[in-house]
Amino acid sequence: MLGTLMRFLPIVTQIFLWGAVFSALPSEDGSHGQIVGYSYHDMVAYYLLTMLSRAFSSMPGLASGITREIREGTIKRFIVQPIGLLEYLFFYRLAHKLVYYTIAIIPFAVVFYLCRGFFRETPQGAVWVGYGISLILAFLLGFFLEATLGLLGFWFLEVSSFLFIYMLLSFFFSGHMFPIDMLPEPMASLVKLIPLQYLAYFPAAVFLGKIRGTALVTGLLIQAAWVVVFAFLARVALRRGLRHYSGFGG
Amino acid sequence: MRRPFRYLTIFATFARNSLIRDMTFRANFLIESISSLSWVLMNLGFYILIFHYTPSLGRGTGWGKYEFFVFTGTALMINSLAGMLFMTNADNFGELIRRGGLDFVLVKPVDTQFLVSLQRVDWSSGGNFLVGLGLTLYSLKCLGDWPSLTTIILYVFYSLLRRDHSLQSDVSAGRDECLVGTQ
């Protein structure tokens, strides 16, 4: 629990950093300026919300766990036992998240209560629904994306450096580091094409009311489409991989 | 051989052995260098982005883009020096105690502190030093006025004083935390 509280420490840095950034902005009539439509309060709220999105979408150890099973051969048990690898991992992850956040909801609540001043307006009914759906989809997307990467281990055996690059990219382009609207134009549109933004940026932006109406609906549909794509890819990778795989002895 | 030179030779041997060790697993070395480099570049990208939107950090503080990058470059150099010389050894120290390897260190006829602190040189952290140096020099060039010799000497002196272990480990722990993500 203390560990979870510690996770929020970077928020303090962010508050100071963005406080300094916004204080230097050319502001009209004494009010704070804005960066791509984010006020200072929005910015801090954004960081808090990405922490929440990541709580749903990040899967520490999933991909590396799968590759370890492949490398060490323990994946054999999923061939002989009547359970599917993906199903097992999925429900294991789900249970883990549920138990972990039943406890961790306390530090989350404390931090969000302390920072309540940064949330200017609470979202209305429809936005809440959209936000909830986007978080659930973020969890699904995070799971299938990482599972697919892990299953690449059938062909590469050692994917840790590959995973590191993926993690770097996802940290940068999922919007965990900054709102991706901030990127200069050709980049911003490009980054919005890849699925990473749905892991952190999209839910937070929905909550802050940056994405509304039809954009919200299409966004959710695209996110769902990505979930389906990666669920399909993971399944294909597993089937192909098992055909490719050979286990000896044991 | 006189004492100070003796320690220099021993250190040179350590450095050489570490380099040989690193070069044995060349691909690994390359990947490590690249990954720590890309982390640095990503952070730089973030700050470039910030300065794209604001002229300075805080109103009237004088921390403009290039002033800030001199600061970042310096921090990078200090951190990479610490990482290169001390971090692996500091990490290894606990293992030495736990596994009883410390006995062998204690009986060696050299200063124990020296042996414990400098045995491994992590060459892959060296890449960041060059990046930091380049960044600092480039930013100074953009700022336009070069510091005087005294300033440079003092700069190096204070940089060497501040090899802060805890800082470095915080940085890398922070990085791992960020990347691995929440449970």
Side-chain angles (χ1 to χ4, degrees):
Chain A
M1 212 157 104
L2 207 60
T4 314
L5 211 53
M6 285 298 149
R7 284 221 180 86
F8 284 102
L9 267 186
I11 285 289
V12 179
T13 331
Q14 295 290 2
I15 290 177
F16 283 129
L17 174 68
W18 289 104
V21 170
F22 277 97
S23 78
L25 281 184
S27 62
E28 53 278 3
D29 56 65
S31 65
H32 277 302
Q34 291 197 334
I35 292 180
V36 290
Y38 287 81
S39 69
Y40 168 58
H41 288 88
D42 284 347
M43 198 59 99
V44 177
Y46 174 83
Y47 278 102
L48 286 164
L49 288 167
T50 50
M51 301 287 276
L52 200 63
S53 322
R54 292 277 294 186
F56 278 83
S57 67
S58 78
M59 310 275 153
L62 175 62
S64 52
I66 295 177
T67 38
R68 198 179 329 107
E69 295 234 4
I70 295 170
R71 201 174 48 237
E72 294 177 358
T74 41
I75 200 162
K76 279 197 286 290
R77 64 197 161 111
F78 293 102
I79 305 176
V80 291
Q81 287 170 6
I83 38 170
L85 171 74
L86 286 173
E87 289 81 356
Y88 167 78
L89 285 175
F90 180 79
F91 285 105
Y92 175 81
R93 198 46 71 159
L94 187 66
H96 172 82
K97 290 258 182 215
L98 279 179
V99 171
Y100 183 81
Y101 284 107
T102 316
I103 307 295
I105 198 164
I106 299 168
F108 266 88
V110 169
V111 171
F112 273 80
Y113 179 74
L114 289 177
C115 298
R116 65 193 180 286
F118 291 109
F119 294 91
R120 279 298 167 77
E121 44 185 291
T122 19
Q124 298 308 310
V127 179
W128 273 114
V129 176
Y131 183 61
I133 297 175
S134 71
L135 279 182
I136 294 169
L137 286 176
F139 168 74
L140 294 172
L141 182 62
F143 177 81
F144 286 116
L145 216 163
E146 280 228 12
T148 312
L149 285 176
L151 288 167
L152 288 181
F154 276 119
W155 292 274
F156 296 107
L157 280 185
E158 184 51 64
V159 290
S160 62
S161 51
F162 191 67
L163 285 181
F164 187 83
I165 293 168
Y166 160 72
M167 284 195 285
L168 271 182
L169 287 179
S170 103
F171 187 55
F172 205 70
F173 292 128
S174 70
H176 192 51
M177 206 169 181
F178 55 83
I180 47 182
D181 318 272
M182 277 179 71
L183 286 166
E185 207 11 85
M187 286 277 274
S189 309
L190 218 64
V191 168
K192 286 194 176 173
L193 284 180
I194 58 175
L196 291 176
Q197 61 146 327
Y198 294 103
L199 296 178
Y201 165 79
F202 184 73
V206 167
F207 189 91
L208 289 175
K210 304 277 170 205
I211 301 170
R212 288 168 189 272
T214 39
L216 174 60
V217 178
T218 32
L220 285 175
L221 283 178
I222 296 173
Q223 193 181 11
W226 277 117
V227 172
V228 174
V229 166
F230 277 101
F232 179 71
L233 279 181
R235 213 150 273 286
V236 170
L238 181 65
R239 186 149 351 119
R240 290 269 169 102
L242 282 179
R243 218 177 293 154
H244 181 80
Y245 172 84
S246 45
F248 301 95
Chain B
M1 226 187 306
R2 270 176 295 149
R3 276 189 81 80
F5 288 113
R6 192 171 77 114
Y7 276 97
L8 274 184
T9 347
I10 296 176
F11 179 66
T13 317
F14 286 161
R16 208 177 130 252
N17 282 347
S18 308
L19 190 62
I20 290 172
R21 199 188 141 121
D22 279 343
M23 286 303 116
T24 317
F25 307 102
R26 220 162 293 168
N28 183 53
F29 176 78
L30 210 66
I31 287 167
E32 254 173 51
S33 305
I34 290 175
S35 60
S36 64
L37 202 69
S38 39
W39 171 251
V40 166
L41 289 182
M42 234 178 58
N43 270 304
L44 270 184
F46 175 56
Y47 287 116
I48 290 173
L49 207 60
I50 284 184
F51 281 107
H52 186 69
Y53 288 98
T54 179
S56 76
L57 280 186
R59 188 181 286 277
T61 49
W63 283 101
K65 184 171 180 178
Y66 293 108
E67 284 90 349
F68 184 78
F69 282 147
V70 170
F71 167 73
T72 323
T74 310
L76 201 58
M77 281 195 281
I78 294 173
N79 278 340
S80 82
L81 261 191
M84 194 168 151
L85 295 174
F86 304 125
M87 271 313 290
T88 357
N89 296 301
D91 284 345
N92 195 30
F93 189 55
E95 281 294 282
L96 275 181
I97 297 172
R98 202 164 62 84
R99 300 199 170 190
L102 192 62
D103 299 359
F104 296 103
V105 178
L106 288 173
V107 294
K108 296 239 164 67
V110 277
D111 186 74
T112 310
Q113 175 83 59
F114 167 78
L115 191 59
V116 158
S117 317
L118 290 168
Q119 200 164 16
R120 280 281 326 260
V121 177
D122 181 13
W123 287 99
S124 63
S125 300
N128 284 349
F129 183 84
L130 295 179
V131 176
L133 188 67
L135 182 65
T136 310
L137 290 178
Y138 175 74
S139 311
L140 281 175
K141 186 175 151 264
C142 291
L143 281 175
D145 62 311
W146 291 94
S148 66
L149 187 65
T150 341
T151 318
I152 294 176
I153 292 172
L154 280 176
Y155 172 79
V156 174
F157 175 69
Y158 284 124
S159 300
L160 289 181
L161 272 190
R162 224 181 122 51
R163 281 176 189 160
D164 193 339
H165 275 176
S166 57
L167 184 76
Q168 168 73 17
S169 51
D170 281 354
V171 168
S172 47
R175 180 186 74 184
D176 295 344
E177 187 88 325
C178 289
L179 292 179
V180 172
T182 338
Q183 279 295 306

